[in-house]
Amino acid sequence: MNSSADYTKTSRMRTAQSRRSALRWLVHVTLISSAIVSLVLEPVLTLHVAFGLVFVLFVGFHLAQRRRISQRLAVRLLKVQKLLGPAGRLALADGFLFIITVAMLFSGFWDLWAPHHTKIRWHAITGVVLTIYLVVHTARRWRRLRFSQIR
Ligand code: HEM
Ligand code: HEM
């Protein structure tokens, strides 16, 4: 009786885990495709902006799915003496990724709404840096892309 209840509980936990894993996969696929489509469609500004905003929205979901890790990394950023360790370097890298995403978004809206471009093309610069950084971030986590498990 007890072992059958245990079995049901384990199988329910497994189903929930594989559902979460599938949701993370869906978010990863949307992140990659919205970034690519936004870049490819850059000459069609409305579509570039629309897919760019989908990308930013899904970055929000991506971070929400990693709430605990993101909070731990943010706290680590405040402990300067620990920044040189592996976890500190991860915090720095992810912190930079976050800042460059926000900078790309702000400069994108600036270019969209201001009467003329900034002299330094901030959106072009942050857009290109973000793209390179995303390739590195994704390539280093390639094996976790499909079956991401967060404990
Ligand atoms: C093309 C877009 C992106 C893809 C495909 C992607 C993919 C991934 C993958 C596969 C992981 C590992 C998940 C795991 O441990 O199970 C991860 C982790 C993470 N990502 Fe992303 N990501 C993207 C963009 C971003 C952006 C823009 C940010 C920040 C604003 C970000 C922040 C993080 C953080 C904080 C983690 C957890 C710690 C780490 O492994 O670095 N990601 N991402
Ligand atoms: C995946 C995210 C995005 C990337 C990687 C990206 C990158 C770029 C790049 C490389 C350009 C060409 C710049 C040039 O020719 O000088 C561009 C143009 C532009 N983007 Fe984005 N962008 C993204 C999202 C957005 C968003 C969300 C907005 C609006 C809020 C936006 C607004 C614009 C505007 C108005 C232009 C044309 C004017 C300009 O050159 O700055 N972009 N983008």
Side-chain angles (χ1 to χ4, degrees), residues 24 27-35 55 58-60 62-63 66 69-71 73 90-91 93-102 130 133-135 137-151:
R24 288 195 193 104
V27 170
H28 292 154
V29 170
T30 312
L31 279 169
I32 295 173
S33 39
S34 57
F55 170 80
F58 274 76
V59 169
H62 181 57
L63 291 178
R66 286 162 184 82
I69 298 180
S70 302
Q71 276 163 5
L73 291 175
L90 183 68
D94 285 344
F96 179 72
L97 187 54
F98 181 76
I99 286 169
I100 205 80
T101 306
V102 174
L130 175 65
Y133 224 87
L134 284 177
V135 172
H137 179 84
T138 308
R140 296 184 109 177
R141 290 157 185 80
W142 195 248
R143 267 186 281 161
R144 284 182 276 157
L145 206 65
R146 177 66 186 93
F147 297 108
S148 166
Q149 297 292 342
I150 293 172
R151 280 166 264 272

Side-chain angles (χ1 to χ4, degrees), residues 1-12:
M1 181 66 193
N2 220 352
S3 73
S4 137
D6 281 351
Y7 177 77
T8 316
K9 196 174 158 198
T10 317
S11 118
R12 237 189 280 132

Side-chain angles (χ1 to χ4, degrees), residues 23-139:
L23 276 176
R24 288 195 193 104
W25 165 233
L26 195 73
V27 170
H28 292 154
V29 170
T30 312
L31 279 169
I32 295 173
S33 39
S34 57
I36 293 175
V37 175
S38 173
L39 269 175
V40 172
L41 294 182
E42 192 271 326
V44 191
L45 200 54
T46 317
L47 292 178
H48 170 72
V49 172
F51 281 97
L53 290 176
V54 170
F55 170 80
V56 174
L57 178 70
F58 274 76
V59 169
F61 293 149
H62 181 57
L63 291 178
Q65 286 178 332
R66 286 162 184 82
R67 255 190 312 276
R68 283 223 307 269
I69 298 180
S70 302
Q71 276 163 5
R72 249 184 281 145
L73 291 175
V75 168
R76 196 159 282 265
L77 278 178
L78 302 174
K79 297 181 180 155
V80 180
Q81 69 275 28
K82 288 194 178 163
L83 286 181
L84 289 179
R89 286 200 298 271
L90 183 68
L92 278 174
D94 285 344
F96 179 72
L97 187 54
F98 181 76
I99 286 169
I100 205 80
T101 306
V102 174
M104 176 282 294
L105 184 66
F106 270 91
S107 55
F109 273 121
W110 182 279
D111 281 358
L112 200 59
W113 289 333
H116 47 75
H117 284 138
T118 44
K119 206 165 171 191
I120 300 174
R121 303 292 298 269
W122 286 115
H123 184 67
I125 295 170
T126 51
V128 170
V129 173
L130 175 65
T131 306
I132 296 168
Y133 224 87
L134 284 177
V135 172
V136 176
H137 179 84
T138 308

